[in-house]
Amino acid sequence: MGTRTKPRVPEPARERASRKLSPPRLGPRDVLHVGSAGLRSRPMRVFLSALGIAIGIATMIAVVGVSSSSQAKLLQELDKLGTNMLVATPGPSMFAGQDTKLPKEAPGMIARIDGVESVGTTGDVKESVRRSENIPKEETSGIVLKAAKDDLLETLRAKVRGGSWLNDATGRYPSVVLGHVSAERLGITRPGAQVFIGGRYFTVIGILDPIPLAPEIERSALIGWEAAQSLLGFDGHPTSVYERSADDRVRAVRSLMGKTAHPESPSSVSVTDPSAALQAKAATEGAFSTLLLGLGGIALLVGGVGVANTMIISVLERRHEIGLRRSLGATKGQIRVQFVTESLLLSGLGGLAGIALGGIATLVYARAGDLPWVVPLWAVTGGFGATLVIGTVAGLYPAVRAARLSPTLALQAA
């Protein structure tokens, strides 16, 4: 006797009706497709809306990039020139109207300090430097005449752009080396020209490259120590003593320089670190950039308002689409995700365009000013992150508004 299969009992209609239907889920690819549909259908509106975001991000990236590039240039110069140079100069006098002088033995005494590697010396000579004897003596063009010793160039780590530096031979005769600023002011571009100093002509034997750590040398005309004494009556007292020491000895050397240079009156010696000015400049390079960053942030917010306005108009124009999708089973959450995604894509496109424009602007500036091209990673990631945040905020209200549309009313309005 075979077994009988039990006949299948139809499911009651009431039970079928009570079964809860679950809407289909949208995968990442589906979300990207529906979110980009509105952008693909209105390319000109997308371009204009993303332009505000792009301008804001480009401004911020360019400001940070230009500031960072300039700062990198200064740091490169510091690495090349070193931060281990100190300068001893006469300090204020204890008596009003009386000038202080460094002893003639000061350079040699400073050279004997433990850790000092090289010493260079200059002394001010009270004579004007003129292009010719026909120019009035009062017209100095801001050029200072200095006597210099042979080792100054090595201590400053300076380079001669053209010609040669002073040596034992040329330092005894009427020859002069010009700082690059002095050469420009005198209209001299190459060695061989002559300048009028102290009633006679001196031959220009060299022109120096810029010296960021010693800007006073850039505006000077340098003659040999012996020539200054024999030809111009220089008294032989140094005005500035430059020294290079080991990096780990800079602080100790600085504490000893005043006492060593002038044992009888250490307080009359001023010791400075010329690299401190460049370090401060590098540290404050971005101070003015704060204002421009604020303007870029305002432009970014204006761009966000433009995105929000575009999304609201998009919701109003696409009510029929929203109603149709809702009637076919799309949930409110899926509608919200669609419009937030569209807003994010719109802002993201503007952010990417702004990063590219800001990077290009920084590159052009860096190439024009012979600077390293530096765009900090934090500025790129932070700027792009800001666009995504603004895109999310700008798309929330239109997305919520779209999700609240009744399918029936949306279809009727269409």
Side-chain angles (χ1 to χ4, degrees):
M1 188 174 177
T3 58
R4 258 185 177 179
T5 56
K6 190 175 181 181
R8 186 177 179 182
V9 180
E11 186 179 6
R14 180 174 297 179
E15 292 182 11
R16 291 198 305 269
S18 63
R19 181 182 297 172
K20 190 172 182 181
L21 298 176
S22 59
R25 294 183 178 180
L26 294 178
R29 185 175 181 180
D30 299 322
V31 171
L32 186 63
H33 179 75
V34 298
S36 61
L39 304 183
R40 294 193 304 268
S41 60
R42 300 169 178 84
M44 183 54 67
R45 182 182 297 176
V46 170
F47 171 77
L48 294 176
S49 299
L51 185 61
I53 296 287
I55 291 174
I57 291 297
T59 302
M60 298 175 74
I61 294 294
V63 167
V64 173
V66 167
S67 176
S68 299
S69 298
S70 300
Q71 188 178 52
K73 178 67 172 180
L74 288 174
L75 293 177
Q76 282 183 358
E77 290 181 351
L78 278 174
D79 289 339
K80 180 176 67 176
L81 298 172
T83 58
N84 59 343
M85 188 173 79
L86 298 174
V87 185
T89 56
S93 174
M94 297 178 59
F95 305 99
Q98 182 176 349
D99 295 333
T100 59
K101 292 183 178 181
L102 294 177
K104 296 180 180 180
E105 302 79 12
M109 297 170 70
I110 291 175
R112 289 193 289 269
I113 299 176
D114 183 30
V116 173
E117 298 175 345
S118 63
V119 174
T121 311
T122 64
D124 289 347
V125 181
K126 297 180 179 180
E127 290 288 349
S128 62
V129 181
R130 293 171 285 168
R131 192 67 178 86
S132 74
E133 56 186 311
N134 298 320
I135 297 176
K137 191 175 182 179
E138 294 76 18
E139 295 184 12
T140 62
S141 301
I143 300 173
V144 179
L145 181 64
K146 292 179 179 291
K149 293 192 174 181
D150 302 350
D151 46 12
L152 177 66
L153 193 71
E154 178 186 355
T155 304
L156 295 179
R157 295 182 183 174
K159 293 182 179 180
V160 180
R161 177 188 299 173
S164 61
W165 176 243
L166 299 166
N167 53 40
D168 290 339
T170 57
R172 300 176 183 177
Y173 299 101
S175 54
V176 60
V177 175
L178 300 177
H180 85 283
V181 174
S182 299
E184 290 176 358
R185 292 178 179 176
L186 291 170
I188 297 174
T189 58
R190 62 182 63 185
Q194 290 189 322
V195 293
F196 193 74
I197 303 173
R200 69 175 64 206
Y201 280 96
F202 280 62
T203 301
V204 177
I205 63 171
I207 299 175
L208 299 178
D209 270 338
I211 312 173
L213 289 185
E216 67 278 5
I217 301 297
E218 298 177 345
R219 298 185 293 271
S220 300
L222 305 168
I223 60 176
W225 200 268
E226 293 186 22
Q229 290 179 314
S230 61
L231 301 177
L232 301 175
F234 174 53
D235 60 8
H237 285 275
T239 305
S240 299
V241 180
Y242 304 84
E243 69 80 31
R244 290 276 184 182
S245 55
D247 291 337
D248 58 347
R249 296 288 300 167
V250 173
R251 184 174 296 180
V253 171
R254 181 167 189 168
S255 65
L256 296 173
M257 277 187 70
K259 304 173 185 177
T260 305
H262 203 324
E264 297 178 358
S265 180
S267 60
S268 64
V269 180
S270 175
V271 180
T272 57
D273 178 4
S275 67
L278 278 181
Q279 291 174 352
K281 186 177 180 181
T284 59
E285 184 64 35
F288 181 69
S289 302
T290 304
L291 174 62
L292 297 178
L293 279 176
L295 295 177
I298 293 174
L300 191 59
L301 290 177
V302 172
V305 173
V307 170
N309 184 52
T310 298
M311 295 307 301
I312 292 174
I313 295 174
S314 179
V315 169
L316 294 175
E317 291 180 346
R318 296 161 64 187
R319 285 178 297 177
H320 178 68
E321 174 193 335
I322 297 169
L324 185 59
R325 291 197 63 219
R326 288 295 311 279
S327 64
L328 292 177
T331 64
K332 291 183 178 181
Q334 290 172 347
I335 297 297
R336 285 194 293 267
V337 168
Q338 173 187 348
F339 282 92
V340 169
T341 301
E342 185 173 331
S343 177
L344 279 172
L345 289 174
L346 182 57
S347 299
L349 289 173
L352 291 175
I355 290 172
L357 290 174
I360 292 172
T362 304
L363 179 61
V364 171
Y365 177 85
R367 291 293 180 267
D370 194 23
L371 304 175
W373 180 45
V374 179
V375 178
L377 182 60
W378 65 263
V380 175
T381 55
F384 189 69
T387 63
L388 297 183
V389 171
I390 287 179
T392 302
V393 173
L396 280 177
Y397 172 72
V400 171
R401 183 171 179 174
R404 288 179 178 175
L405 285 176
S406 169
T408 306
L409 294 177
L411 291 172
Q412 287 179 351

